């Protein structure tokens, strides 16, 4: 047990949402960087500056399917008097050795194929007869023909400027330039760039491993029949999904009964694979509030978890601390499904994103016109109502009531409507702050 004065202080003080979050964020630090293969690095924060080892594109290449030519040879070409060139070869993307193009010659070339020596530009196939001798319209059809068709002659009906339809070596990025800066979040396009410059692995902050466990002797796994007084465990599924969506590698542990010994044993087992632990249930003042009982009791070496009353609704009882040899952060959320989800959004999601080293740990917020009146919001508490926010109209409509068991309403909401501590009612048509969920 920690000092009794400390306990009393914690119990008596009512924490604001902001103070509780600040306390969490002051103790949760970004994870140590590791090297990850590109596919695993998606969504992670880069911790190294990445320089470009070699120019992109690495060689001059064609941006069109067509014919590589010398510009003087086609300078006077018209529909009536086409330039007639000897086709000396066929250059596909990936071809290594390309034939030289000498005066009076052309090489059939595909998009991405290297520009052959001697050639100065590419005439798109649409400007030629495609080597068929059948006139301008034949070009497109003929070009898909097999390589052996790339012989004989091609008629070119228009002149081409020097370097036209040629993507120059280094026109995307030059060797030695900075590709990506440390601190960049690796989205699809950044991963594409890394692959393009030949990087297979990168040094990033890893995704945190988040272990989610629910507590409650009434809980039964979905798909199993309910006995008297039992309900299905929804929180562990919901919170695991939320953790994954926030960027974590999430592990769901099945529900633990309201029994201090089993909870303690489970937590000890799970610590080994956790960068963050999330529990649901058992944090209020009831006789079987086993999370509080178990964690408030930890020895100094095992860590300290403080249980608090927050000036918020839903989600008044919250626990937070660092436990085990590695001082792993643990957030103990209340058990009511809506309370646990709102608590996740407000506290766990930012903690996960702080572990990832993301520059912005918060959801987007906006102002919206509240379509319906809100009454009876508790004085002195920040209330988070579920709402449906319509981006097009800028309106938000409360979904369901304030009850923290209303999981169906939660599933039809895409926003949290924030009713400040000092506000007890909101008139229909008034503006409110809204947290956008996703
Ligand atoms: P507790 O915080 O443990 O007192 O639980 C508060 C309420 O939430 C009770 O009605 C519980 O049955 C319910 N509850 C707790 N945990 C879960 C869960 N994992 N899934 C669904 N409901 C839960
Ligand atoms: Mg319970």
């Amino acid at each position: 047990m920690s000092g009794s004065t400390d306990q009393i202080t914690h119990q008596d003080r009512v924490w604001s949402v902001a103070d509780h979050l600040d306390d969490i964020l002051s103790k949760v630090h970004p994870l140590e960087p590791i090297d990850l293969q590109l596919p695993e690095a998606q969504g992670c924060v880069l911790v190294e500056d990445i320089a470009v080892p070699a120019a992109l594109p690495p060689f001059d290449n064609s941006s069109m399917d067509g014919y590589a030519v010398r510009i003087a040879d086609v300078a006077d070409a018209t529909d009536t008097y086409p330039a007639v060139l000897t086709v000396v070869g066929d250059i596909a993307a990936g071809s290594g050795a390309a034939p030289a193009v000498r005066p009076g010659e052309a090489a059939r070339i595909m998009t991405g194929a290297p520009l052959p020596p001697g050639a100065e530009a590419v005439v798109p196939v649409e400007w030629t007869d495609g080597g068929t001798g059948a006139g301008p319209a034949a070009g497109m059809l003929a070009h898909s023909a097999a390589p052996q068709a790339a012989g004989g002659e091609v008629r070119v009906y228009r002149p081409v400027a020097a370097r036209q339809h040629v993507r120059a070596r280094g026109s995307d990025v030059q060797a030695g330039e900075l590709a990506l800066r440390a601190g960049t979040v690796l989205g699809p396009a950044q991963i594409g760039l890394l692959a393009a410059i030949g990087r297979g692995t990168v040094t990033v902050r890893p995704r945190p491993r988040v272990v989610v466990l629910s507590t409650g002797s009434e809980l039964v796994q979905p798909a199993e029949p309910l006995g008297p007084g039992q309900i299905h465990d929804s929180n562990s599924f919901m919170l695991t999904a939320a953790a994954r969506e926030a960027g974590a590698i999430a592990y769901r542990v099945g529900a633990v009964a309201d029994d201090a010994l089993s909870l303690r044993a489970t937590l000890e087992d799970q610590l080994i694979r956790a960068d963050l632990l999330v529990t649901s249930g058992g944090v209020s003042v009831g006789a079987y509030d086993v999370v509080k009982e178990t964690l408030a009791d930890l020895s100094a070496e095992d860590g300290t978890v403080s249980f608090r009353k927050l000036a918020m609704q839903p989600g008044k009882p919250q626990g937070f601390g660092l436990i085990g040899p590695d001082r792993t952060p643990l957030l103990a959320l209340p058990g009511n499904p809506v309370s646990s989800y709102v608590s996740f959004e407000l506290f766990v999601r930012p903690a996960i994103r702080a572990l990832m080293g993301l520059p912005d740990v918060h959801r987007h917020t906006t102002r919206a016109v509240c379509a319906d009146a809100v009454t009876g919001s508790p004085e002195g508490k920040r209330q988070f109502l579920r709402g449906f926010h319509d981006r097009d109209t800028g309106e938000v409509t409360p979904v369901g009531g304030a009850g923290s068991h209303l999981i169906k309403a939660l599933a039809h909401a895409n926003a949290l409507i924030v009713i400040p501590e000092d506000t007890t009612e909101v008139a229909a048509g008034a503006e409110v702050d809204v947290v956008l969920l996703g």
Side-chain angles (χ1 to χ4, degrees):
M1 271 288 219
S2 53
S4 55
T5 25
D6 213 35
Q7 292 278 307
I8 289 164
T9 319
H10 281 158
Q11 273 166 18
D12 286 350
R13 171 174 169 196
V14 176
W15 289 63
S16 69
V17 171
D19 285 350
H20 183 59
L21 180 61
D22 284 352
D23 185 37
I24 293 167
L25 293 180
S26 73
K27 291 175 183 140
V28 170
H29 307 295
L31 296 174
E32 286 305 314
I34 58 168
D35 288 348
L36 286 182
Q37 307 266 337
L38 283 193
E40 277 70 54
Q42 183 174 356
C44 294
V45 177
L46 194 63
V47 296
E48 51 172 343
D49 284 345
I50 306 252
V52 178
L56 270 191
F59 47 86
D60 288 352
N61 68 93
S62 178
S63 69
M64 302 286 281
D65 292 336
Y67 288 85
V69 299
R70 304 171 75 101
I71 56 169
D73 285 344
V74 296
D76 301 321
T78 63
D79 274 355
T80 329
Y81 300 105
V84 183
L85 303 174
T86 307
V87 180
V88 293
D90 189 58
I91 314 163
S95 68
V101 173
R102 289 165 306 180
E105 293 177 347
R108 195 169 81 147
I109 192 167
M110 309 301 159
T111 305
L115 191 72
E120 296 158 319
V122 172
V123 179
V125 66
E126 294 86 343
W127 301 1
T128 75
D129 70 349
T132 61
M140 285 285 278
L141 276 176
H143 210 69
S144 52
Q148 51 272 31
E153 291 178 338
V154 65
R155 282 172 173 66
V156 176
Y157 299 98
R158 284 173 60 177
V160 69
R163 309 294 289 172
Q164 206 176 344
H165 308 122
V166 173
R167 304 189 283 213
R169 171 187 156 82
S171 57
D172 188 356
V173 65
Q174 296 283 356
E177 271 185 58
L178 192 63
L180 295 172
R181 220 173 263 293
T184 303
V185 182
L186 299 179
Q190 291 72 36
I191 290 194
L193 172 58
L194 290 166
I197 64 169
R199 284 293 292 243
T201 60
V202 276
T203 311
V204 295
R205 299 205 186 272
R207 297 171 175 281
R209 297 159 305 157
V210 174
V211 170
V212 176
L213 62 95
S214 52
T215 66
S217 297
E218 73 279 30
L219 301 175
V220 171
Q221 293 310 292
E224 285 182 16
L226 297 177
Q230 295 184 324
I231 59 169
H232 288 123
D233 170 16
S234 54
N235 290 353
S236 70
F237 290 89
M238 175 171 59
L239 298 173
T240 306
R244 191 169 292 142
E245 197 189 59
I249 297 167
Y251 301 115
R252 191 187 68 85
V253 178
V256 181
D258 288 320
D259 162 62
L261 283 180
S262 13
L263 177 63
R264 203 172 178 132
T266 307
L267 283 173
E268 270 162 17
D269 281 354
Q270 294 297 329
L271 266 178
I272 186 103
R273 63 167 176 175
D275 297 311
L276 175 71
L277 289 152
V278 180
T279 66
S280 95
V283 292
S284 44
V285 291
Y288 300 96
D289 281 325
V290 68
V291 173
K292 194 168 172 180
E293 187 186 318
T294 308
L295 295 177
D297 226 20
L298 290 180
S299 68
E301 308 86 70
D302 292 339
T304 48
V305 178
S306 105
F307 288 88
R308 303 157 180 182
K309 289 191 179 75
L310 261 66
M312 76 183 257
Q313 194 220 39
K316 180 171 100 172
Q318 300 282 341
F320 167 63
L322 306 174
I323 70 164
D326 298 328
R327 294 285 175 269
T328 307
L330 178 145
L331 277 86
L333 312 182
N336 274 304
V338 176
S339 313
S340 78
Y341 182 72
V342 170
S343 306
F344 181 96
E345 279 295 333
L346 296 180
F347 308 120
V348 185
R349 193 173 188 279
I352 289 174
R353 296 176 71 80
L355 286 166
M356 294 178 78
L358 287 168
D360 187 5
V361 301
H362 298 294
R363 287 281 200 195
H364 292 297
T365 58
T366 188
R367 297 282 287 170
V369 171
C370 197
D372 297 340
V374 173
T375 55
S377 185
E379 167 102 60
K381 290 186 179 179
R382 191 177 298 184
Q383 189 181 35
F384 295 89
L385 292 171
R386 276 64 62 204
F388 185 81
H389 178 250
D390 184 333
R391 272 175 201 241
D392 298 333
T393 63
E395 275 194 340
V396 69
T397 309
V399 182
S404 48
H405 62 293
L406 302 173
I407 191 161
K408 183 245 179 180
L410 177 65
H412 291 264
N414 63 0
L416 297 175
I417 303 171
V418 187
I419 313 290
E421 288 80 347
D422 56 1
T423 303
T424 55
E425 3 199 279
V426 173
E431 276 206 355
V432 285
D433 282 325
V434 162
V435 180
L436 301 172
L437 304 173

